[in-house]
Amino acid sequence: MAEETPLVDAKLPFDGSVQAGIMNPQSASMALLGFNLEEGVGADQLRTLMQTWTVLARHLTQGERIEDMEEYEMAEVPASLTITVGWGERIFTVLGAEDLIPEGLHDVPAFSLDHLNPAWGQTDLVLQISSDDPVTTSTAVRVMVRSALGVAKLFWRQNGYGHAFGAVPAGTTPRNPLGQIDGTVNPSTPEEWSEQVFIDSDEAWLKNSSIMVVRRIIMNLDAWEKLAVAQRSRVIGRDYHTGGPLSGGGEFDDEDMDAKDENGEYLIDRHSHLALAREQDGQPSDALRRRAYAFDDNFVDNPMLTSNSGLVWISFQKNPDKQFTPIQKRLDEADLLNDFVAHIGSGVFWILPGTTPTSYWGEALFEKLEA
């Protein structure tokens, strides 16, 4: 009986109106790479890097041979590989295009409970590399990092993981390290993607782009695991096992924020994660695309704890000022989950529009600046 190797033929389109790696389901492995430009790098070198990266990413995601890559066997399994590129705000200064900075492309405001570590801070460029095979992900990382030498230097790498390929039915909402079903509310229809995630513009360089917010979130699993299931559900606002709102129903049923028990108490605590993420007093709701990955890092600092785990929390939206930031402000002020999580890293990136088979990342903007 022949061995089955489905990931050999698992290819996702690279070219399209939007970049891959946004609408696609989460993969089994992910590497998020933050780069800073080398001193003195200007528009011409950046343009060459975008051209180089586009060609390499197109070949890698399709399992195609890369010229002069001696270890080509390492890249023969596409495993649904996606490679997504983003620019930090400073890139527009390098290009002399400060007047073109997309709305919302700047640091998010400081929040009172943040414990941000500069080691996980803003960078000039970002690559999100994800696939269903860790070897494929790691190989793509090596190819993209070494191709940037002399132009951009890797500043940080954040590794994440999800369910292995085939481990859960397609469309299953992943659980985060807390065991919480995380990502129930995500865009699903073309109208929702258009309204929440992708920028609509008459300018070709801006149309179908998006803004990525990255937050590195550490979780105190030791304290969390001391809670009974009922307490965990109260903190989240959803049934811990099923993901259904505590007002009743299944995971994807609408919650009833006014539902009360026989004692007149709200079934969904007003300070639960669910309640504060929803629209309140006319403020935006949790309408954005989540694509978070879990991490488990080396544990070295505190012998009283047993883990160093959390989320590489990634979201995509049109404008963080109107989506991520108002939500996070409410969560920062009163979320019951704050006793168990802390934000230790932050970055905001413009996710460029997609490509055609003959174009490269950012081509329309470079051409606009040359006109």
Side-chain angles (χ1 to χ4, degrees):
M1 180 177 178
E3 294 184 8
E4 294 185 2
T5 53
L7 295 182
V8 171
D9 297 317
K11 302 175 185 179
L12 297 175
F14 175 79
D15 296 300
S17 61
V18 301
Q19 287 195 65
I22 302 174
M23 300 178 72
N24 308 99
Q26 289 166 233
S27 305
S29 69
M30 187 279 301
L32 194 70
L33 311 177
F35 296 82
N36 284 328
L37 296 182
E38 297 281 11
E39 186 176 354
V41 166
D44 289 342
Q45 289 167 288
L46 177 63
R47 181 175 190 161
T48 299
L49 177 61
M50 291 299 106
Q51 292 169 331
T52 300
W53 270 0
T54 303
V55 171
L56 291 173
R58 187 177 284 123
H59 284 310
L60 286 165
T61 58
Q62 303 309 301
E64 298 170 350
R65 187 73 61 90
I66 295 174
E67 186 177 355
D68 298 328
M69 182 178 176
E70 298 295 343
E71 65 278 18
Y72 62 85
E73 295 92 346
M74 299 288 287
E76 289 182 329
V77 180
S80 299
L81 174 68
T82 62
I83 302 178
T84 314
V85 71
W87 292 0
E89 181 184 12
R90 197 179 81 85
I91 292 296
F92 286 84
T93 299
V94 172
L95 296 175
E98 292 93 336
D99 59 324
L100 296 180
I101 295 173
E103 189 176 1
L105 181 62
H106 55 76
D107 291 345
V108 297
F111 299 103
S112 64
L113 298 181
D114 281 353
H115 296 276
L116 300 182
N117 183 341
W120 303 113
Q122 183 66 50
T123 59
D124 295 333
L125 301 168
V126 71
L127 286 176
Q128 177 194 251
I129 300 176
S130 57
S131 82
D132 285 322
D133 177 41
V135 173
T136 297
T137 300
S138 180
T139 300
V141 167
R142 288 292 306 138
V143 171
M144 301 300 279
V145 169
R146 73 188 181 206
S147 67
L149 293 177
V151 179
K153 184 177 181 179
L154 187 65
F155 181 66
W156 47 246
R157 172 176 178 170
Q158 301 191 52
N159 295 318
Y161 65 88
H163 283 294
F165 174 74
V168 296
T172 299
T173 310
R175 291 182 183 269
N176 63 31
L178 298 174
Q180 166 197 359
I181 293 177
D182 192 350
T184 297
V185 181
N186 258 326
S188 58
T189 67
E191 292 76 19
E192 288 174 339
W193 285 105
S194 177
E195 292 171 359
Q196 300 173 22
V197 179
F198 296 113
I199 297 172
D200 188 20
S201 173
D202 294 331
E203 296 274 4
W205 69 269
L206 185 60
K207 184 178 178 61
N208 293 319
S209 64
S210 187
I211 306 289
M212 169 198 278
V213 174
V214 178
R215 302 284 282 183
R216 188 173 182 84
I217 303 174
I218 191 106
M219 296 177 166
N220 188 340
L221 298 185
D222 298 295
W224 176 257
E225 289 165 356
K226 293 177 182 177
L227 297 182
V229 168
Q231 293 173 298
R232 299 183 196 187
S233 297
R234 173 175 171 266
V235 168
I236 300 166
R238 292 180 175 275
D239 183 277
Y240 181 72
H241 294 301
T242 69
L246 293 184
S247 55
E251 179 188 351
F252 298 102
D253 289 331
D254 292 336
E255 66 281 352
D256 181 355
M257 296 302 301
D258 296 321
K260 297 181 179 181
D261 62 17
E262 62 276 9
N263 298 317
E265 300 291 333
Y266 286 112
L267 292 176
I268 300 176
D269 194 296
R270 283 302 189 265
H271 293 150
S272 67
H273 192 72
L274 167 62
L276 292 172
R278 287 294 188 267
E279 183 175 357
Q280 296 190 3
D281 300 324
Q283 294 298 309
S285 67
D286 54 357
L288 41 74
R289 163 59 165 159
R290 296 164 180 76
R291 202 170 186 267
Y293 290 83
F295 72 80
D296 287 303
D297 278 359
N298 184 38
F299 184 76
V300 293
D301 293 329
N302 189 339
M304 297 301 292
L305 299 177
T306 60
S307 67
N308 179 9
S309 303
L311 283 180
V312 183
W313 191 90
I314 299 169
S315 69
F316 300 93
Q317 59 256 285
K318 285 186 171 183
N319 184 350
D321 292 344
K322 297 179 179 180
Q323 293 170 274
F324 170 79
T325 297
I327 299 166
Q328 185 56 36
K329 184 175 185 294
R330 295 196 299 269
L331 296 175
D332 181 74
E333 291 173 349
D335 189 1
L336 293 173
L337 195 58
N338 288 338
D339 287 339
F340 308 96
V341 302
H343 292 237
I344 62 173
S346 186
V348 183
F349 302 91
W350 176 55
I351 303 302
L352 285 64
T355 54
T356 68
T358 58
S359 71
Y360 60 88
W361 281 325
E363 180 174 336
L365 179 54
F366 283 110
E367 291 183 346
K368 176 182 176 67
L369 296 175
E370 286 184 346

